[in-house]
Amino acid sequence: MIAKVDDLTPGSVKKFWLICQKYRLDAFLINDSGSFHAYVNRCRHMPTPLDFVRDEFLSDDGRFLRCYTHGALYEFATDLKQFAD
Ligand code: FES
């Protein structure tokens, strides 16, 4: 179990390890106004985690995921291939 639904309030993020065959991947789960999305914690631009060192995933207004290396913004419900405007 990653978290109980009630423990992950809207707009919050919970990191977890995703075990995939013999690999352990850094991943996170986000509550997007009651819709839950899980992602591998990796930027689409370079092989670095989105939160890098800061353990922060969201833009200042909380509407997008943000890569803290270069500041790219991603919409929550996409497959992290699209940059937000
Ligand atoms: S490393 Fe994430 S946008 Fe460049």
Side-chain angles (χ1 to χ4, degrees):
M1 178 171 65
I2 299 168
K4 294 181 179 177
V5 170
D6 292 343
D7 294 341
L8 202 61
T9 58
S12 63
V13 177
K14 170 88 172 164
K15 292 179 78 171
F16 63 97
W17 291 112
L18 175 65
I19 307 301
C20 189
Q21 296 181 343
K22 63 181 181 179
Y23 301 102
R24 187 175 74 169
L25 304 173
D26 186 17
F28 61 95
L29 176 68
I30 182 166
N31 181 344
D32 173 21
S33 301
S35 295
F36 292 85
H37 308 284
Y39 300 100
V40 170
N41 185 13
R42 186 178 306 136
C43 181
R44 297 290 297 180
H45 178 218
M46 291 174 32
T48 184
L50 290 179
D51 62 335
F52 199 54
V53 175
R54 299 179 57 178
D55 204 22
E56 296 271 339
F57 289 92
L58 302 179
S59 60
D60 291 341
D61 63 8
R63 295 176 52 221
F64 301 101
L65 295 169
R66 176 167 50 193
C67 174
Y68 274 84
T69 301
H70 289 140
L73 301 174
Y74 299 95
E75 294 176 325
F76 289 143
T78 66
D79 59 3
L80 296 185
K81 290 181 180 174
Q82 294 181 326
F83 289 89
D85 291 331

